[in-house]
Amino acid sequence: MGDAAKVIDWNGIDVPEGVVELLAELPPGRYRIAVAPDDTDDTLTDADRASALARLADLSAGRTFTVADADARMREAIANATR
């Protein structure tokens, strides 16, 4: 996961294995527990597949730039817009 979220599966009765240890690792504080969406469907749509293929074509054709280039371009655009 890209964030610090931990996902547990709970049957509504039994405390899942590892939950006590997980809670013990957390620093003192206030926490919110929310139901996580069931995102187990990893199937790519036709649009997802087409987008991925287009991005790969961009890479192959050299139509990409680095994060540093993007940052420089954005800074230049902001500077020009504020003049």
Side-chain angles (χ1 to χ4, degrees), residues 27-67:
R30 189 171 178 215
Y31 295 88
R32 177 175 53 92
I33 297 175
V35 175
D38 184 10
D39 56 359
T40 56
D41 183 10
D42 295 337
T43 306
L44 289 177
T45 65
D46 289 341
D48 293 335
R49 190 172 289 103
S51 178
L53 290 173
R55 300 299 70 80
L56 288 172
D58 286 342
L59 282 170
S60 296
R63 293 186 301 263
T64 60
F65 46 87
T66 65
V67 171

Side-chain angles (χ1 to χ4, degrees), residues 1 3 5-10 31-38:
M1 293 188 143
D3 58 17
K6 303 291 184 205
V7 176
I8 61 170
D9 292 312
W10 186 43
Y31 295 88
R32 177 175 53 92
I33 297 175
V35 175
D38 184 10

Side-chain angles (χ1 to χ4, degrees), residues 64-76:
T64 60
F65 46 87
T66 65
V67 171
D69 290 339
D71 184 60
R73 290 178 186 189
M74 287 185 284
R75 289 179 187 278
E76 181 179 352

